[in-house]
Amino acid sequence: MNTEIALSPYEKLGGEAAVRRLVQRFYALMDELPEAYAVRQMHPESLAGVEQSLFEFLSGWFGGPALYIAKKGHPRLRMRHAPFAVGQLVRDEWMLCMTQALTEQVADPVFRAHLINTFAQMADHLRNSD
């Protein structure tokens, strides 16, 4: 039996430390890349709180501990993002940062492509403006 098939994305990424590194790199890129200006402006000056929230969400979303749900209940992503105008530009900038973070941190190209595609579907789902 191929044990890799049985691994959750959380385990395949490397667990808590790897998910935390991914989230930290994602937000560092949001700060560093001029191409992410619009999405960065939607966030508070300090990214510490949103970084922790994304880490907690991704922990459970990837199949690890459901930290976000334990703290805040069901994610209700569309509802939680409804106050923000998430158009194509913001979606693309968000995906630029996440794609770069995944490219830097996920060596397996098939797994990385799967994650990028899954994030792209989620980002598309959160669009709420033109």
Side-chain angles (χ1 to χ4, degrees):
M1 180 176 160
N2 184 348
T3 57
E4 193 167 319
I5 293 173
L7 294 179
S8 68
Y10 181 83
E11 295 165 320
K12 196 167 181 179
L13 280 167
E16 178 182 346
V19 174
R20 194 170 294 282
R21 276 192 310 274
L22 176 67
V23 170
Q24 288 169 342
R25 184 61 182 141
F26 166 76
Y27 282 115
L29 287 162
M30 194 179 286
D31 263 345
E32 295 168 12
L33 297 176
E35 302 93 335
Y37 180 79
V39 72
R40 178 60 180 95
Q41 294 306 301
M42 297 175 78
H43 291 78
E45 185 176 335
S46 170
L47 294 171
V50 292
E51 186 176 297
Q52 182 63 24
S53 287
L54 183 59
F55 163 73
E56 292 168 356
F57 170 73
L58 290 182
S59 176
W61 194 60
F62 284 146
L67 304 172
Y68 187 94
I69 290 172
K71 196 183 265 187
K72 299 180 182 176
H74 189 282
R76 294 182 183 87
L77 292 180
R78 282 187 61 87
M79 180 194 77
R80 293 188 196 272
H81 288 81
F84 308 100
V86 181
Q88 189 67 42
L89 175 67
V90 167
R91 177 255 184 241
D92 290 349
E93 290 181 3
W94 193 96
M95 278 304 303
L96 172 72
C97 297
M98 185 55 73
T99 299
Q100 182 63 38
L102 289 166
T103 298
E104 292 175 9
Q105 300 200 15
V106 179
D108 178 341
V110 174
F111 181 49
R112 182 175 60 241
H114 168 72
L115 291 175
I116 291 169
N117 182 55
T118 303
F119 274 114
Q121 289 175 21
M122 181 182 12
D124 288 337
H125 178 70
L126 293 178
R127 285 186 52 218
N128 60 17
S129 71
D130 294 331

